Amino acid sequence: MSEANLPQEYGSQATGSGRSAPVESVPVLIVGGGLSGLSTALFLGLHGVRPLLVEKHPGTSVVMKARGQYPHTMEALRIGGVADRIVAASPGGTGEFYMALAETLAGPVLRGIMTQGEMSMSHVSPEGWGMASQERTEVILADRARELGARLAFGTELASFTQDADGVTAVLRDVTTGAERTVRAQQLVAADGRHSPVRAALGVGTHGRGRLGEVFRVFFDADMSASLAHLPGGVAEGRRFALFHLLQPVPGVFYTTDVPGRYGYIRGMTREQPDFSGAGDERCAELVRTGLGMPDLELTVTGSGGTEIVCEVADRFSVGRVHLVGDAAKVVPAPGGLGGNTAVMDGFYLAWKLALTVRGLAGPGLLASHDAERRPVSDMIAEQQFANTVERLGPDLDDGTAAAPIHPVTQVFGYRCARGAVVREPGDDGELLEDPTAPTGRPGSRAPYVPLGSGGSTTALFGRGFVLLAGPDGGAWQAVADAAARRLGVPVAVHRTGGWEKAYGVSSSGAALVRPDRFLAWRAVDDTRAGELEAALRTVLDRPGD
């Protein structure tokens, strides 16, 4: 679709004094202040771009939602300067958790999942887990985004927008006063949720399994210390998050919260709205007692309500100058925990591309790669979490089409973006996944984690800009990188060291170019290809000839 044929309008046309006020210019307008929007704002600020974010609600979320940050997300949050804050906001100030698939809360445990066991990722990452809740994480992201220069306008909604070949014109409305103002942005990021009005205005549909059913959630206060005393690591005292997928007497989920003595219970999924939806506190209390197999449990219901379980991905992640992230781009069932993580990472992966583009340092192909790189992995995660949902919440959904399980380590550290903004090598068929414990070093793959003799690691070198890793015998690379950076106006940090070459598939005089998002853009087996570095950067930046 050419830009001339792009959907041009969204919303009603503004009238009144708001239209006559001066038009404010912003580099990037972000619509939506959840995990993905705030992450995008934070990382744009990190790359020196001051976006404007608008969110119709008066502040960040106060509703208990998603929880947990995978190590790859913690790596990004470390780059963003908030990893320690996330860990401090986790139960007990630790990212450790205990999860289990069990017959009942008392056991037997059919399968345990722990950070020091099945879910340990220390062999592929220098970061551990975070277990901060979404409501705490959003506050941390918002504070850091402001520190980095982003402007956050809560209580402000997008009333309308139009886009053309040169930018996006948006009318913003104060939800309290109704006052309107117009802004002109180079790019617009739609982080406006599952029912994204921006996505709808663009005419972008969705694909996937759609609505799977509904679960009913109850929050309650109770003394569960005796019932949880057998769990490891201070779960009973609230020093570690715990979650149980329970199979008897009915499928359900029990989990701890940030509030000591407060717990959540999710009744197993039903195809239609359950007949107890909207039930009173006593009925909800009985659901909890029945689901936990504890008929005499004394508890106080603090909240309840139904939640739809949906599995769908947008057909396109970018249309012209508008880009979808978070739930606007995909909605996945909760089991597996990658919905919120993917929302944060959407912002991390998109921000550097936006920053270079709005500065005029990249061609349109760099932002066009957002769809090519993020949609395939979103499809994969959606199917994996559907399979988890079948196993843990809705066995009646099993129609024989669920995907074969992929280990979470491979899902988050092994996926590739070989069909995006990289210099693809001959013989690379563009596979979506590779085993991160046996990395190939191919462009499009995640730059492997290799501990270095200095006590650091390769991963610690990445995240702020382009990095050229050069072997100990690669003396020619510094001058070549400096010259390319000077001509393109894009800094390239050179780190010349040893110990990483085998994992990256190069010799001691070779080099590997790593993008700001830690993906390999290009590599040279030895320094005879040093003259190709600038051409590689031009390919990634979509600047074939300035």
Side-chain angles (χ1 to χ4, degrees):
M1 181 183 294
S2 67
E3 288 204 354
N5 295 322
L6 290 175
Q8 294 294 302
E9 298 184 358
Y10 156 69
S12 58
Q13 293 299 310
T15 58
S17 59
R19 298 293 286 178
S20 60
V23 176
E24 176 187 359
S25 294
V26 297
V28 180
L29 174 64
I30 303 168
V31 181
L35 290 174
S36 61
L38 292 169
S39 173
T40 305
L42 186 161
F43 289 107
L44 275 170
L46 191 74
H47 292 297
V49 173
R50 300 182 61 185
L52 171 63
L53 180 150
V54 296
E55 165 57 52
K56 64 182 179 182
H57 291 101
T60 56
S61 175
V62 296
V63 179
M64 293 183 182
K65 294 181 179 178
R67 176 186 297 277
Q69 293 78 31
Y70 273 69
H72 76 304
T73 304
M74 291 298 290
E75 288 182 11
L77 295 173
R78 175 74 60 194
I79 292 166
V82 295
D84 291 339
R85 301 185 205 180
I86 293 294
V87 174
S90 304
T94 174
E96 296 185 2
F97 61 75
Y98 179 80
M99 298 186 187
L101 179 67
E103 289 288 343
T104 69
L105 190 58
V109 173
L110 305 178
R111 180 157 60 92
I113 305 172
M114 297 181 65
T115 50
Q116 301 306 312
E118 297 84 352
M119 295 297 282
S120 173
M121 301 187 183
S122 59
H123 56 303
V124 292
S125 175
E127 292 290 340
W129 286 75
M131 286 308 295
S133 61
Q134 180 170 340
E135 59 270 24
R136 290 187 175 183
T137 299
E138 286 187 7
V139 173
I140 293 170
L141 296 178
D143 289 344
R144 181 59 173 157
R146 291 189 184 98
E147 291 171 9
L148 293 169
R151 291 183 295 149
L152 311 183
F154 289 96
T156 303
E157 63 182 354
L158 177 68
S160 66
F161 80 87
T162 61
Q163 69 164 315
D164 52 51
D166 299 316
V168 179
T169 301
V171 177
L172 308 179
R173 179 183 299 128
D174 186 299
V175 298
T176 300
T177 67
E180 294 181 342
R181 60 191 173 108
T182 301
V183 300
R184 178 73 172 171
Q186 294 183 50
Q187 304 285 338
L188 186 149
V189 177
D192 53 343
R194 173 194 165 193
H195 300 291
S196 173
V198 173
R199 185 187 67 219
L202 295 172
V204 175
T206 61
H207 60 271
R209 297 178 183 269
R211 183 185 182 277
L212 303 178
E214 184 169 327
V215 297
F216 190 70
R217 188 186 311 262
V218 180
F219 292 106
F220 64 95
D221 292 342
D223 181 2
M224 301 286 291
S225 55
S227 301
L228 302 178
H230 65 289
L231 300 181
V235 169
E237 296 80 20
R239 298 198 307 271
R240 181 186 295 195
F241 176 72
L243 182 148
F244 276 78
H245 289 278
L246 307 174
L247 301 181
Q248 300 296 335
V250 293
V253 178
F254 167 82
Y255 57 98
T256 60
T257 73
D258 290 331
V259 181
R262 180 162 296 170
Y263 305 93
Y265 173 72
I266 300 175
R267 184 77 163 199
M269 188 171 63
T270 58
R271 297 275 190 163
E272 304 300 330
Q273 188 178 64
D275 58 9
F276 46 79
S277 183
D281 287 354
E282 186 52 40
R283 174 66 170 134
C284 291
E286 285 304 313
L287 288 173
V288 173
R289 295 185 183 106
T290 300
L292 300 184
M294 304 174 67
D296 299 323
L297 178 65
E298 294 185 5
L299 63 98
T300 301
V301 173
T302 62
S304 63
T307 301
E308 276 194 318
I309 305 298
V310 178
C311 186
E312 60 186 18
V313 178
D315 295 335
R316 297 178 65 185
F317 280 18
S318 292
V319 177
R321 292 174 176 267
V322 183
H323 315 282
L324 310 182
V325 295
D327 285 356
K330 74 279 176 207
V331 182
V332 299
L338 282 171
N341 279 267
T342 305
V344 172
M345 297 308 293
D346 280 350
F348 175 70
Y349 291 129
L350 179 61
W352 72 273
K353 299 178 180 181
L354 285 167
L356 288 171
T357 301
V358 300
R359 287 175 171 172
L361 297 174
L366 181 60
L367 275 177
S369 71
H370 174 59
D371 178 78
E373 295 184 1
R374 295 303 291 163
R375 187 155 50 89
V377 70
S378 296
D379 286 330
M380 181 265 290
I381 290 172
E383 284 302 299
Q384 287 296 302
Q385 300 209 171
F386 170 76
N388 292 338
T389 301
V390 171
E391 178 189 26
R392 304 173 192 177
L393 285 179
D396 61 319
L397 292 173
D398 190 359
D399 59 1
T401 66
I406 300 170
H407 196 283
V409 172
T410 301
Q411 288 188 54
V412 300
F413 286 104
Y415 78 86
R416 308 182 63 236
C417 53
R419 301 182 187 278
V422 301
V423 182
R424 195 156 143 197
E425 294 181 340
D428 185 345
D429 293 330
E431 299 95 334
L432 179 62
L433 297 170
E434 70 176 25
D435 182 357
T437 65
T440 64
R442 293 176 295 174
S445 302
R446 186 181 185 277
Y449 163 62
V450 179
L452 299 175
S454 60
S457 70
T458 51
T459 302
L461 302 174
F462 311 139
R464 290 298 192 108
F466 284 95
V467 171
L468 187 72
L469 274 179
D473 298 325
W477 290 106
Q478 182 71 61
V480 171
D482 289 346
R486 184 170 58 252
R487 281 192 288 268
L488 294 173
V490 177
V492 179
V494 179
H495 294 276
R496 185 178 167 194
T497 186
W500 58 274
E501 303 97 297
K502 181 178 179 181
Y504 287 67
V506 303
S507 71
S508 62
S509 67
L513 180 65
V514 182
R515 303 187 326 189
D517 57 6
R518 306 164 305 178
F519 278 87
L520 283 156
W522 172 81
R523 66 178 173 180
V525 174
D526 54 45
D527 59 6
T528 62
R529 295 181 58 199
E532 300 175 26
L533 174 62
E534 181 175 333
L537 278 165
R538 287 186 178 277
T539 297
V540 173
L541 297 171
D542 188 30
R543 290 172 58 180
D546 292 339

